[in-house]
Amino acid sequence: MKKTAATLLALTLSISMVNTAAAEVKISAAYIALGDSLAAGQTPQSQIDTGYADLIAQELSRNQPVALFSKDLAFPGFTTADVLERVEEEATQELLASANIITLSAGANDLLRLVQANPADGSLQFQRIQSDFALNNARKNISDILSRLNEAAPNADIYVMGYYFAYPHARESQKEGIAEQLGILNEILKNEAEKAGAIFVSVDEAFGENAVSKVPNPGDVHPNFEGYQAMANEFLAEYREGWIVEDRELPEPNPISFEEILQEQDEQAADNSQPDTEMEEPADTDAEELETDQSAGLLPDLKSGYLALRTVLPIV
């Protein structure tokens, strides 16, 4: 009898745990990717395509309702100072207020812009004093960014993305110094995340120092799909155990150049400036295109131009 009661109790607890887990993922996700070129999805060929944020949003949508996904706050070349300035913009505050998931990539450009890399001979050069100064500034800015995010998005879980070793093609004798500096940056990001109640997502072990398959261009520090997949899966390991982006789930490459993005933005701006009487919807517009257009209209226009693609999932 006792054994039967214990079995029933265990079964009840098991069912309760399953129901609790299911309830958690029913909440509609509103995901905003904030930061530098990694958040934007820049490729090793200096284009924009599927990045870790897109893969995260894809996996979220496979497992729970997703109300919003935006990369509008991601811009190639952004330093922590640039991200801080962007976060403080009024239109950004409006967008962040709707978020319940935020990923932040910021800090690498503060450091890597000081590195002189020569892909021809595999050499890396940087000044330690300048690097230390840049890392200290990054620490202060990250602290301020996270403080602003907590204020602007009180309902959001904030994930601070770490960085991988960006120069796997360099000579082994050249790697130690910059690897140490990137390690310090990751420690800064981790410490500031913990202080702010955010979650640090470590990606360096998923890459290592010889990840030439993930960072294939000797003259570029950006990862390919394999690298972004690794970053997305490190996030998912923190977000929900068992969720993972499989190889078969990777989309086909569909890169777009910065010039094409700017042209598209100019065309959209021109269309938006037309009087309402001239804005007639084509009769053959299908439902999917209309839904996407309507969803995109829910996002505020930000005062400065972005090179990141806007990606909005239909409101659930």
Side-chain angles (χ1 to χ4, degrees):
M1 184 70 179
K2 289 183 179 180
K3 184 175 180 180
T4 302
T7 302
L8 289 173
L9 177 60
L11 181 60
T12 301
L13 289 173
S14 175
I15 294 173
S16 176
M17 291 174 67
V18 169
N19 289 339
T20 300
E24 288 177 356
V25 299
K26 286 180 180 178
I27 300 174
S28 293
Y31 170 35
I32 294 175
L34 169 66
D36 55 26
S37 56
L38 296 184
Q42 185 166 332
T43 73
Q45 290 75 40
S46 297
Q47 297 171 308
I48 297 294
D49 202 345
T50 297
Y52 75 77
D54 304 271
L55 294 175
I56 288 171
Q58 174 183 286
E59 190 64 20
L60 291 176
S61 67
R62 292 180 188 277
N63 294 279
Q64 68 182 98
V66 176
L68 170 67
F69 164 51
S70 173
K71 296 197 296 185
D72 266 12
L73 303 182
F75 190 94
F78 261 16
T79 65
T80 55
D82 296 320
V83 174
L84 178 58
E85 181 180 355
R86 183 55 44 85
V87 167
E88 292 176 339
E89 291 182 6
E90 182 177 349
T92 301
Q93 300 277 316
E94 296 175 12
L95 181 56
L96 289 172
S98 65
N100 54 29
I101 301 171
I102 295 174
T103 54
L104 170 66
S105 284
N109 287 318
D110 298 60
L111 176 63
L112 298 188
R113 62 181 178 171
L114 303 175
V115 178
Q116 295 179 347
N118 188 337
D121 63 10
S123 64
L124 301 172
Q125 296 181 359
F126 68 98
Q127 297 294 324
R128 183 62 62 96
I129 294 178
Q130 290 180 330
S131 176
D132 291 343
F133 182 77
L135 287 171
N136 189 50
N137 277 340
R139 179 187 60 78
K140 295 176 182 177
N141 288 335
I142 288 293
S143 177
D144 288 342
I145 291 168
L146 291 174
S147 177
R148 301 293 194 281
L149 290 178
N150 280 327
E151 293 172 2
N155 298 318
D157 293 327
I158 301 170
Y159 295 81
V160 179
M161 303 297 293
Y163 287 95
Y164 54 87
F165 183 72
Y167 302 100
H169 299 271
R171 298 200 310 268
E172 290 299 321
S173 61
Q174 298 286 295
K175 291 181 179 181
E176 183 177 356
I178 191 62
E180 179 184 357
Q181 297 300 98
L182 282 166
I184 294 173
L185 173 59
N186 279 326
E187 282 299 313
I188 289 172
L189 296 174
K190 181 180 179 180
N191 292 337
E192 295 305 320
E194 291 176 351
K195 289 178 185 178
I199 300 165
F200 176 70
V201 179
S202 176
V203 304
D204 55 340
E205 289 188 5
F207 279 72
E209 292 189 10
N210 299 296
V212 294
S213 66
K214 295 181 176 70
V215 187
N217 187 349
D220 191 281
V221 299
H222 295 91
N224 55 15
F225 276 14
E226 182 183 345
Y228 282 125
Q229 178 189 19
M231 295 182 71
N233 283 335
E234 292 302 313
F235 164 88
L236 292 168
E238 295 288 344
Y239 180 74
R240 194 78 69 218
E241 184 178 356
W243 291 14
I244 187 172
V245 178
E246 304 281 359
D247 291 346
R248 58 182 173 80
E249 295 173 339
L250 294 177
E252 291 295 321
N254 186 29
I256 183 171
S257 68
F258 294 153
E259 291 77 12
E260 291 172 315
I261 295 172
L262 290 174
Q263 181 180 354
E264 181 179 323
Q265 290 178 340
D266 289 342
E267 291 173 355
Q268 289 177 351
D271 290 342
N272 292 337
S273 66
Q274 295 179 14
D276 292 341
T277 55
E278 299 180 11
M279 296 289 288
E280 296 184 2
E281 185 173 297
D284 59 350
T285 299
D286 60 40
E288 182 177 354
E289 291 176 344
L290 177 60
E291 187 176 43
T292 300
D293 290 342
Q294 291 174 336
S295 298
L298 295 171
L299 296 180
D301 290 330
L302 303 177
K303 73 180 186 182
S304 31
Y306 288 113
L307 294 183
L309 289 174
R310 167 175 292 184
T311 307
V312 184
L313 296 178
I315 299 298
V316 177

